[in-house]
C-alpha cells in the first residue's frame, strides 16, 4: 500500500482516537494525537486559551517528519477550521503521500456523553458533554449547544472522503475505513 496521510475528523467522543489507533495498528501507521500534544503543551505552562494554537504546529511538524521517514501517518484531531483541512492536504501533497480523510459523525449526544465519561481523560479533553476539560473549569451549561455547533462547523473535503456513522459497532466502522484506505 502507498504511504498515506489519514486526517481524522469529528467531535470529541465520536471515536476518532479509537479508529486512529486501530488504523495505525493495522497498517503500521503512526498516530499523531492532538490531545496528547495539547496536554503536553498545557503541562509546559501554556494557558488553555493558547494551547490549541501551540499544539497544531507541533502536530503538523511531527506529521511532516514522520512522512519524511517513510511511514504513513494518522492525524487525530477535530477538523473545525479550513486551515487544518488545507494544511493536512498540503502536507500529503508536499510529501507525495496519498491523502485520506475520515470523519466520525453522529448527532447522538447521549452516546457522545457516555463515551466521554467512560474514557480515560487527558488533561486537554472534555470530561462529558456538559463538563469542560480540567484546565477549562467545571460544568458547562452550554455543552449541548457547543457540540451541535461543532457538528455543523466540521470542515471536510468537497469529495473523496469517508464519513462513518459513529454509532455503528467499531468492527463495522473499521471495515469501512479499511475499504476506503485500500482504494
Amino acid at each position: 500500500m502507498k504511504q498515506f496521510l489519514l486526517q481524522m475528523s469529528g467531535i470529541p467522543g465520536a471515536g476518532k482516537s479509537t479508529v486512529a489507533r486501530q488504523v495505525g495498528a493495522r497498517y503500521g501507521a503512526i498516530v499523531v494525537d492532538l490531545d496528547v500534544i495539547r496536554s503536553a503543551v498545557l503541562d509546559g505552562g501554556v494557558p488553555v486559551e493558547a494551547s490549541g494554537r501551540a499544539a497544531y504546529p507541533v502536530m503538523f511538524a511531527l506529521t511532516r517528519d514522520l512522512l519524511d521517514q517513510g511511514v504513513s501517518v494518522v492525524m487525530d484531531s477535530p477538523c473545525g477550521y479550513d486551515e487544518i483541512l488545507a494544511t493536512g492536504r498540503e502536507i500529503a501533497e508536499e510529501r507525495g503521500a496519498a491523502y485520506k480523510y475520515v470523519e466520525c459523525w453522529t448527532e447522538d449526544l447521549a452516546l457522545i456523553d457516555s463515551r466521554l465519561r467512560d474514557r480515560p481523560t487527558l488533561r486537554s479533553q472534555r470530561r462529558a458533554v456538559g463538563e469542560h476539560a480540567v484546565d477549562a473549569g467545571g460544568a458547562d451549561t452550554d455543552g449541548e449547544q457547543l457540540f451541535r455547533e461543532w457538528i455543523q462547523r466540521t470542515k471536510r473535503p468537497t469529495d473523496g472522503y469517508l464519513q462513518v456513522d459513529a454509532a455503528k459497532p467499531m468492527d463495522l466502522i473499521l471495515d469501512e475505513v479499511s475499504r476506503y484506505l485500500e482504494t
Side-chain angles (χ1 to χ4, degrees):
M1 168 177 270
K2 179 182 168 131
Q3 183 184 35
F4 64 83
L5 168 57
L6 171 58
Q7 191 163 23
M8 297 298 303
S9 175
I11 61 175
K16 294 181 305 296
S17 295
T18 302
V19 172
R21 287 187 190 106
Q22 293 289 325
V23 167
R26 184 174 288 181
Y27 294 96
I30 303 296
V31 177
V32 179
D33 185 334
L34 182 72
D35 282 316
V36 170
I37 297 167
R38 192 169 180 199
S39 293
V41 165
L42 289 165
D43 289 345
V46 174
V48 69
E49 305 81 33
S51 62
R53 286 190 312 276
Y56 271 103
V58 174
M59 182 181 71
F60 296 140
L62 282 170
T63 298
R64 285 182 177 98
D65 184 59
L66 290 165
L67 288 170
D68 286 346
Q69 293 179 52
V71 296
S72 292
V73 176
V74 181
M75 285 194 318
D76 177 9
S77 77
C79 203
Y81 299 98
D82 290 324
E83 322 67 274
I84 298 165
L85 178 65
T87 302
R89 293 188 97 152
E90 288 168 14
I91 291 170
E93 186 176 319
E94 291 166 2
R95 297 325 197 252
Y99 177 79
K100 300 289 186 169
Y101 178 104
V102 172
E103 178 185 4
C104 296
W105 184 90
T106 185
E107 290 185 351
D108 184 348
L109 294 187
L111 172 64
I112 295 299
D113 190 65
S114 172
R115 288 179 177 174
L116 293 174
R117 288 178 185 279
D118 290 346
R119 72 180 180 186
T121 306
L122 295 173
R123 185 172 176 181
S124 69
Q125 294 175 315
R126 290 184 71 91
R127 295 171 285 176
V129 168
E131 290 182 49
H132 292 288
V134 173
D135 292 88
D140 180 4
T141 57
D142 295 328
E144 284 192 24
Q145 180 59 34
L146 177 64
F147 271 75
R148 295 197 190 291
E149 289 170 10
W150 281 345
I151 290 167
Q152 299 307 313
R153 195 174 73 199
T154 298
K155 303 301 179 190
R156 58 189 66 86
T158 55
D159 61 3
Y161 69 93
L162 176 65
Q163 185 180 68
V164 295
D165 179 351
K168 284 185 179 179
M170 188 54 61
D171 59 332
L172 297 178
I173 291 172
L174 291 170
D175 287 346
E176 283 183 64
V177 172
S178 289
R179 284 191 299 276
Y180 168 70
L181 288 174
E182 293 170 9
T183 59

